Amino acid sequence: MISKLIGVFGGTFDPVHNGHTKIIQNLLELIPFDEIKVIPNGQPPHRTSVCSNNDRLEMVNLAFKGINQISVDEREIHREGPSYAIHTAREILEEYHQDNIIWIMGSDAFSEIDTWFEWEDFLNIINILVMARPGSEIDSTSMAGTLILERQTSNIDDLSYGAGKILIVDIDPINISSTQVRSNLAAGETVNELILEDVSDYIDSGKLYTKPS
Ligand code: ATP
């Protein structure tokens, strides 16, 4: 059986924005993923989301519906209690044991990897692709910086076997964050350039993010 290249892209998506969709589209141009699973977090361990799980899931569905290789994976949304990446990684590795799984994240998320639940185990079971994010350079003296020094590879083919490797990919930088979208919405400012129209309509109809977060 030919194994597939599957990316896993988790996030709070509170709300999903053009940065998320554009970086994933860009990544699909650079790397021949057969599929990227977009996984909205259930109860994020590091923070509380502003919108409900259901609203975040609906917005993610709207944002990614036009991209063929994307599937939205609801497992964390429906998981009881806190949702940890290591549990999701273990499940996916087991379900897709014949395939090649790569965990995808931005450099801001990777900078904080040593705060993740059982992060050392997590790093040892999976290969990671880090997308450089504007304003989130990884401090070379931090734990994340040390991990890169020890584990970085410059070749995508190295991620097709084993685990514990890190590939940094330079994508076209897009300076958009959910924080910025929320604060614009709370201030009554436009978000036209920041989120897709369908997501914007969903937010308007539910009067979401009208209070400062
Ligand atoms: P917030 O502003 O609330 O922290 P966010 O914009 O970082 O939110 P998340 O849902 O937390 O959005 O991000 C999910 C994933 O997407 C993370 O791995 C994050 O690093 C990555 N990401 C989000 N926006 C960008 C961007 N503009 N460039 C590169 N990576 C991004």
Side-chain angles (χ1 to χ4, degrees):
M1 185 190 287
I2 300 169
S3 69
K4 288 193 291 175
L5 182 60
I6 301 179
V8 177
F9 181 53
T12 312
F13 305 114
D14 192 18
V16 61
H17 53 68
N18 289 345
H20 296 126
T21 44
K22 286 194 175 147
I23 55 176
I24 289 302
Q25 266 161 330
N26 190 189
L27 207 54
L28 285 165
E29 287 161 13
L30 299 172
I31 294 172
F33 281 105
D34 294 293
E35 179 186 351
I36 295 181
K37 292 183 179 298
V38 175
I39 310 193
N41 300 148
Q43 232 173 285
H46 294 106
R47 52 204 253 187
T48 334
S49 60
V50 176
C51 266
S52 70
N53 285 1
N54 186 54
D55 283 335
R56 289 183 298 110
L57 174 64
E58 288 297 323
M59 290 188 281
V60 164
N61 278 324
L62 290 170
F64 285 101
K65 71 170 188 261
I67 313 180
N68 276 339
Q69 293 93 329
I70 298 297
S71 62
V72 176
D73 185 309
E74 301 185 6
R75 76 182 66 220
E76 291 201 5
I77 287 282
H78 302 304
R79 190 178 288 158
E80 298 275 319
S83 112
Y84 294 119
I86 187 155
H87 296 150
T88 303
R90 282 198 188 115
E91 277 179 18
I92 292 179
L93 287 167
E94 201 178 310
E95 281 165 38
Y96 296 87
H97 55 91
Q98 74 280 23
D99 294 319
N100 175 20
I101 310 295
I102 300 178
W103 200 274
I104 302 168
M105 66 178 88
S107 50
D108 59 313
F110 188 76
S111 291
E112 296 180 353
I113 192 81
D114 56 330
T115 64
W116 288 25
F117 182 67
E118 294 182 358
W119 63 275
E120 284 160 302
D121 293 343
F122 174 72
L123 284 173
N124 287 333
I125 60 170
I126 203 142
N127 289 320
I128 295 184
L129 185 158
V130 178
M131 300 172 294
R133 187 171 184 176
S136 298
E137 286 70 34
I138 297 167
D139 176 358
S140 60
T141 63
S142 66
M143 177 54 81
T146 308
L147 289 165
I148 285 172
L149 219 60
E150 291 169 358
R151 295 165 178 251
Q152 186 173 11
T153 169
S154 52
N155 190 342
I156 180 70
D157 293 335
D158 286 343
L159 300 197
S160 62
Y161 59 93
K165 285 165 273 182
I166 301 166
L167 176 74
I168 301 185
V169 175
D170 280 327
I171 46 154
D172 299 334
I174 300 188
N175 199 3
I176 302 177
S177 68
S178 299
T179 305
Q180 184 192 354
V181 176
R182 291 195 301 271
S183 91
N184 279 22
L185 287 166
E189 290 165 17
T190 173
V191 288
N192 288 349
E193 307 290 309
L194 309 180
I195 57 176
L196 284 176
E197 203 178 329
D198 284 355
V199 175
S200 175
D201 290 346
Y202 186 92
I203 290 174
D204 286 348
S205 65
K207 298 196 174 52
L208 308 177
Y209 304 108
T210 46
K211 296 195 200 88
S213 55

